[in-house]
Amino acid sequence: MALIALVVLAMPWAGWWEQASVPTAMAETVDEEIVYLDVWGRIKVHDPHVAPGKEAVVWQSPDNGWSAVATGDFNGDGDDEIVAIKGNTVQVFDPVIQAGQAEVVFQRSAAPYFWELVATGDIDADGRDEIILTRSDNSGGIREHLVVWDGGANGTNWTKIRDNSYGWPWDDIALGDVNGDGRDDIAMIRYWESQHDRRLTILNPVNWTTLHDQSYNFPWLDVAIGNTDQTSGDDREEIVLTREGVVDVLDSYLVMRWVSWSSSLQDVHGEKFYPYFTDIALGDVNNSGDMEVFLLRDPKTDNGIAFIMRNYGTDAVPTFERRIGRDWKAVVAGDVDGDGRAEAVLLSASKIRIYVSPEIDNSYLHVAGSYRTTGRSPIALGNLDGEGIAAEPRLGVSPTSFTVQLVGGEKTNRYVNITNTGAGGPFAWTATVTAGASWLSVSPTLGSTPAQIVLQIDTAGLAPGTYVGRVRVTASGIPGSPQDVVVTLKVEPPPFGVQPDEILFTVLQGQPYTPPQIQVTGSGVDWVAGVIPAGSWNALAAAAEASGQLERIAGGWRAGEGADAVTVSDVSWVTLNPSEGTAPSTIYVTIDQTQIEPGVHRATIVVDGGPTVSPRFHGVDMTVLLAQHQLFLPMAFGSNE
């Protein structure tokens, strides 16, 4: 990873951290952001420390499923990019594009194989990091490839500069300058159990020779490279390792140094630890020029020591051994608060913990969440914004989506806030309906921040179904503009019913009678009704279904059009009062005795609620007996009898 430049800025901590104890005052320098994977594998960024006049880095990947992340400056513009792997895909993301720079773009597939490890480092001393990957294989005796990519001058012209094949997968990769030539070397560890191969290999990318390649007696757990010892006139960085299987007899934690005259590594430091430490991070906690070593493990007991720091410089730091439980899975180190000194950042499934001043005390800050903790690198640090993003006005629109469910004929309002979420004062904006204008409107259509607009939703004339509308808020020349407010409208049919569905009554010829009633239920449904001969509804309904058309015409009903149209005339001896209206309503049914002979007569009353209700049509079967004399016998009506 590229060196971090210094600037004169006073950087306060962002306010969203849960504070366990108060950190000490901070100096003025550039900081690193925290890059992590949420529980779904989506890459996200926390920027806990933002200087006055600067903006926080707010970014997340457009998709999820990522399994490992690393950071590096692939175009030499002074800020880091993110490289991530998932399955057979590796991709670079450039959250902050510096002025005058092109976006770093890189994506490659390993299909039908899979990417397994990802790391970064400047292996050619050109001021730009390269991407180091391993991928699976299963061809012949090859099980793994080490692949190195170089992004060229601006991180857009990528070249594969190395592809080594191996007979067994590597478990971890670390980069650092172990031979003091100013270039990062590549260290790899693996455990090939069937071959009793517990190998540590260090490659020199200058000519791809091997600086060290040896199988040891016990399996390695983790490897890191950094300047843990300030040795006068020696630019070599130390190799820090942990291993298992030694119980408490041999050192499980080792610091070693490469020597040019020996195939073996020189032992520098070592300690016996059991349980074994499984994760290593290096960082200069007091800006003394050498890096301290952080070690993390599962202590196997709730009160065991899980996290320690070791210092091998001439500077003094307090003893740092923490009993923090068994939940912590990974540790990284870097300057996340801009004080010029490294902090330790720990990861668990539910928290990120930052030890803000390990050179002084045990104070820390928490951020709660749901995090992915599996894999070699679920968390990384990187300076994603260089010297920071200058604060400027920014369009804020909230909320940006609504789902509204209404009954046909109803209307409602929703409210949207338009604000300046960045720096500076008010700015002008406009709001325009870009979709759904037949049922969606906005008021006011222009103004200045802060403001609230009203989205007016009216379902009049809409058939039941789902509609999507959009309102676009635009602020000319303002970052974050334009933004769309998406309205999803679900129109349900209004309640509409007709009772009863059958009328049976007797009329004595020439005598008064009580007209039967039909109740039309619902709210605000406009309806129209008519009477057709019994038995004619089936033909009319079939034509209406085939054509999608049915209308009330003078003296009857018509379905379809042209030669295929079916027309049914009204029954003249039945009168509906009223024959149209708005629910709820009562329809009174009367007959004209002068138009029918004594006997049994049938008809069908059709009530049409219009296209916004479902079902649209209701039928009432009517049977009337016009009698000449009063009868005292029970009536029974039936078809064809």
Side-chain angles (χ1 to χ4, degrees):
M1 191 177 301
L3 294 176
I4 301 172
L6 301 181
V7 295
V8 182
L9 294 173
M11 296 187 171
W13 284 90
W16 48 266
W17 294 96
E18 170 195 334
Q19 184 168 320
S21 54
V22 180
T24 57
M26 297 170 190
E28 301 169 339
T29 184
V30 172
D31 59 18
E32 295 180 277
E33 285 70 50
I34 302 171
V35 181
Y36 68 93
L37 302 173
D38 71 10
V39 70
W40 305 109
R42 188 177 299 275
I43 311 166
K44 294 185 177 180
V45 174
H46 278 318
D47 188 355
H49 181 234
V50 183
K54 303 292 183 179
E55 291 184 1
V57 179
V58 179
W59 182 88
Q60 64 179 22
S61 62
D63 53 356
N64 54 25
W66 299 98
S67 58
V69 292
T71 62
D73 185 359
F74 305 125
N75 60 352
D77 65 351
D79 72 24
D80 288 335
E81 291 76 49
I82 300 169
V83 57
I85 58 174
K86 64 173 177 179
N88 56 33
T89 299
V90 57
Q91 185 171 349
V92 168
F93 300 95
D94 195 350
V96 180
I97 303 172
Q98 298 293 334
Q101 295 288 333
E103 180 181 4
V104 176
V105 177
F106 175 76
Q107 183 172 349
R108 294 293 186 276
S109 173
Y113 303 109
F114 301 95
W115 301 112
E116 296 178 330
L117 298 174
V118 59
T120 67
D122 186 2
I123 64 173
D124 54 9
D126 65 352
R128 297 183 296 270
D129 290 327
E130 285 70 49
I131 298 175
I132 295 85
L133 299 153
T134 64
R135 74 159 176 86
S136 63
D137 199 344
N138 195 23
S139 54
I142 306 303
R143 295 292 302 278
E144 182 99 319
H145 286 256
L146 175 74
V147 183
V148 181
W149 290 89
D150 187 314
N154 56 10
T156 58
N157 184 23
W158 290 87
T159 304
K160 184 193 295 186
I161 61 174
R162 194 68 181 176
D163 189 338
N164 288 359
S165 58
Y166 298 95
W168 195 254
W170 296 101
D171 297 323
D172 197 17
I173 301 175
L175 279 87
D177 187 5
V178 304
N179 62 354
D181 66 353
R183 300 173 175 86
D184 283 340
D185 306 300
I186 303 172
M188 304 178 291
I189 57 173
R190 74 180 181 195
Y191 179 27
W192 190 351
E193 186 173 10
S194 65
Q195 301 297 315
H196 307 289
D197 184 14
R198 307 165 183 91
R199 188 164 301 275
L200 168 63
T201 297
I202 304 175
L203 301 178
N204 179 3
V206 173
N207 51 17
W208 296 103
T209 57
T210 300
L211 296 177
H212 180 78
D213 184 41
Q214 183 174 328
S215 179
Y216 290 77
N217 293 326
F218 300 96
W220 301 111
L221 293 171
D222 198 17
V223 59
I225 300 173
N227 180 15
T228 62
D229 293 69
Q230 283 186 309
T231 303
S232 177
D234 192 343
D235 295 328
R236 290 176 298 168
E237 294 183 339
E238 284 69 42
I239 305 139
V240 185
L241 299 132
T242 59
R243 60 182 178 175
E244 63 181 342
V246 296
V247 195
D248 57 356
V249 177
L250 300 175
D251 290 343
S252 63
Y253 158 66
L254 299 164
V255 179
M256 298 191 286
R257 186 179 295 123
W258 178 82
V259 290
S260 60
W261 45 264
S262 174
S263 60
S264 299
L265 298 177
Q266 175 187 355
D267 291 336
V268 181
H269 306 285
E271 291 185 64
K272 299 178 179 65
F273 292 113
Y274 185 80
Y276 311 114
F277 285 97
T278 55
D279 207 21
I280 305 168
L282 307 179
D284 185 356
V285 303
N286 56 2
N287 198 21
S288 64
D290 62 68
M291 305 181 83
E292 281 66 46
V293 181
F294 291 100
L295 298 169
L296 180 68
R297 68 181 176 184
D298 177 359
K300 306 302 181 182
T301 62
D302 291 338
N303 196 40
I305 295 174
F307 185 45
I308 67 173
M309 178 179 68
R310 290 295 184 262
N311 170 47
Y312 302 114
T314 57
D315 51 315
V317 296
T319 300
F320 189 96
E321 296 188 349
R322 305 298 300 144
R323 302 177 189 273
I324 56 175
R326 303 182 59 187
D327 296 334
W328 304 98
K329 306 301 182 183
V331 58
V332 290
D335 185 5
V336 299
D337 63 6
D339 66 351
R341 299 183 290 270
E343 289 74 48
V345 181
L346 274 66
L347 177 71
S348 75
S350 61
K351 289 180 181 178
I352 290 174
R353 173 179 289 188
I354 301 178
Y355 282 94
V356 298
S357 53
E359 78 282 6
I360 298 174
D361 55 31
N362 297 322
S363 58
Y364 62 84
L365 303 170
H366 272 167
V367 59
S370 296
Y371 304 108
R372 174 168 289 185
T373 60
T374 56
R376 270 294 177 179
S377 51
I379 187 170
L381 304 182
N383 175 20
L384 303 182
D385 58 355
E387 296 184 359
I389 306 170
E392 54 189 359
R394 181 169 293 274
L395 175 63
V397 177
S398 179
T400 56
S401 65
F402 293 103
T403 297
V404 180
Q405 184 168 316
L406 296 175
V407 170
E410 293 182 338
K411 61 178 64 176
T412 190
N413 295 334
R414 291 294 185 269
Y415 302 90
V416 175
N417 294 311
I418 303 175
T419 58
N420 178 4
T421 59
F427 54 76
W429 55 265
T430 61
T432 307
V433 176
T434 59
S438 63
W439 53 270
L440 177 63
S441 61
V442 60
S443 177
T445 58
L446 54 86
S448 63
T449 57
Q452 186 177 78
I453 57 175
V454 182
L455 276 55
Q456 298 150 336
I457 302 165
D458 189 347
T459 66
L462 294 182
T466 300
Y467 303 82
V468 177
R470 285 180 173 82
V471 174
R472 173 157 292 185
V473 180
T474 303
S476 180
I478 301 297
S481 172
Q483 292 191 40
D484 284 347
V485 181
V486 180
V487 181
T488 302
L489 172 63
K490 297 180 180 180
V491 180
E492 301 290 338
F496 177 63
V498 174
Q499 294 294 333
D501 57 9
E502 185 178 27
I503 295 175
L504 301 168
F505 69 104
T506 300
V507 177
L508 293 177
Q509 192 173 34
Q511 299 297 318
Y513 65 93
T514 301
Q517 299 179 13
I518 298 174
Q519 301 299 323
V520 182
T521 59
S523 177
V525 179
D526 295 329
W527 57 268
V528 60
V531 186
I532 60 176
S536 61
W537 172 246
N538 289 339
L540 190 67
E545 182 176 353
S547 65
Q549 296 181 339
L550 179 65
E551 59 180 333
R552 184 83 169 107
I553 61 175
W557 300 81
R558 181 171 62 203
E561 57 184 1
D564 296 327
V566 175
T567 301
V568 176
S569 298
D570 287 338
V571 171
S572 61
W573 54 271
V574 180
T575 300
L576 304 178
N577 185 25
S579 60
E580 60 183 57
T582 301
S585 310
T586 300
I587 301 174
Y588 295 90
V589 182
T590 59
I591 64 170
D592 184 353
Q593 300 181 35
T594 65
Q595 295 192 46
I596 55 176
E597 298 294 329
V600 177
H601 300 271
R602 293 183 173 88
T604 299
I605 301 170
V606 178
V607 183
D608 177 8
T612 63
V613 298
S614 180
R616 173 177 176 174
F617 299 99
H618 289 266
V620 179
D621 292 326
M622 183 184 75
T623 303
V624 59
L625 170 63
L626 179 61
Q628 291 179 309
H629 304 287
Q630 187 170 0
L631 301 177
F632 295 97
L633 297 176
M635 286 190 351
F637 298 105
S639 60
N640 302 320
E641 291 186 6

